[in-house]
Amino acid sequence: MKIKLIPGDSAGTVTAFYMNSDTDNVRDELDFEFLGNRTGQPYTVQTNVYAHGKGDREQRINLWFDPAAEYHTYSILWNHRRVTFYIDEVPIRVYKNNEARGIPYPKLQPMGVYSTLWEADDWATRGGLEKIDWRKAPFYAYYKDFDIEGCPMPGPGTCASNPNNWWEGTAYQELSPIEARRYHWVRQNHMIYDYCTDKSRYPVTPPECVAGI
């Protein structure tokens, strides 16, 4: 999806582009959430992964460009090996399939694709310190050029497990060397929060965060 975010003072708003299984207790979900800002402050994007009903896997990065000035492309690659979030073909997050270690992975149910713009000034900007200035309303985010390639539902029951789907190919099982360098650059220079290192929330490091996984 190409998205142009709310210009100016967007504090307290969340612009979202996400996938959801539309189930409750076993919900799978893959989130892009763009957290509004006060004018001149960086836009933050939060990603989250729900697998088999368990979420609370937030990571946040500050964007290295002005996402309200022009459209940028936000993509999710979801296959049996990994989920990868991309911005303009730069990978910003990878969630690997570690079912062999007993870690849930979203692959057992279909997901729809959604986009929303909503009020969340109890947490979205500086932990809720910055509230929506309703004098700036209405707030507009712009979406265009949506593209999806995958298995339609309902459809052939064998589609999702077909190894000949292009997204299951060797080139999409791991990051390429160029992607790995870009991924490291984002993590080193723009990441501002990672649940994996939040000891107040997780005194014991979540298993999917352990080094080498």
Side-chain angles (χ1 to χ4, degrees):
M1 178 76 81
K2 290 184 179 178
I3 306 174
K4 185 163 62 174
L5 297 179
I6 303 167
D9 186 345
S10 58
T13 67
V14 173
T15 304
F17 171 51
Y18 64 102
M19 300 173 65
N20 188 297
S21 62
D22 196 26
T23 52
D24 292 324
N25 59 336
V26 290
R27 175 164 53 121
D28 292 336
E29 186 170 311
L30 306 172
D31 296 329
F32 274 112
E33 294 178 307
F34 303 91
L35 311 185
N37 63 1
R38 287 283 180 235
T39 303
Q41 299 300 311
Y43 245 107
T44 298
V45 59
Q46 173 173 283
T47 58
N48 201 357
V49 175
Y50 283 77
H52 302 187
K54 170 68 170 66
D56 297 326
R57 297 185 175 97
E58 299 92 348
Q59 294 182 355
R60 296 180 183 179
I61 65 168
N62 281 341
L63 295 175
W64 54 92
F65 52 86
D66 181 356
E70 57 187 21
Y71 287 93
H72 291 265
T73 303
Y74 303 91
S75 309
I76 299 172
L77 172 69
W78 174 36
N79 60 28
H80 283 75
R81 291 287 294 270
R82 61 183 171 106
V83 173
T84 308
F85 295 80
Y86 290 90
I87 298 177
D88 294 330
E89 300 185 2
V90 176
I92 65 165
R93 180 171 188 174
V94 177
Y95 183 84
K96 295 182 180 180
N97 183 341
N98 284 293
E99 289 179 307
R101 294 179 169 91
I103 298 167
Y105 185 78
K107 74 172 192 180
L108 299 178
Q109 52 188 341
M111 288 192 271
V113 181
Y114 303 85
S115 59
T116 57
L117 171 56
W118 49 288
E119 177 270 324
D121 68 4
D122 57 331
W123 67 273
T125 308
R126 293 184 60 213
L129 295 178
E130 303 281 359
K131 304 301 183 181
I132 288 183
D133 183 351
W134 291 105
R135 295 172 299 177
K136 302 294 195 299
F139 300 101
Y140 293 100
Y142 301 88
Y143 297 76
K144 71 175 185 177
D145 297 347
F146 172 63
D147 181 52
I148 185 168
E149 295 185 58
C151 294
M153 295 297 293
T158 57
C159 181
S161 59
N162 185 348
N164 293 320
N165 293 327
W166 69 259
W167 53 87
E168 301 288 354
T170 303
Y172 301 97
Q173 294 184 9
E174 303 289 343
L175 296 180
S176 70
I178 291 176
E179 288 179 327
R181 286 196 295 272
R182 291 172 172 171
Y183 181 60
H184 180 73
W185 174 78
V186 169
R187 312 285 284 188
Q188 289 293 111
N189 296 286
H190 297 282
M191 175 166 277
I192 59 171
Y193 177 80
D194 184 359
Y195 79 105
C196 289
T197 58
D198 188 339
K199 294 301 181 183
S200 62
R201 288 179 69 191
Y202 298 104
V204 177
T205 302
E208 67 270 21
C209 301
V210 175
I213 292 183

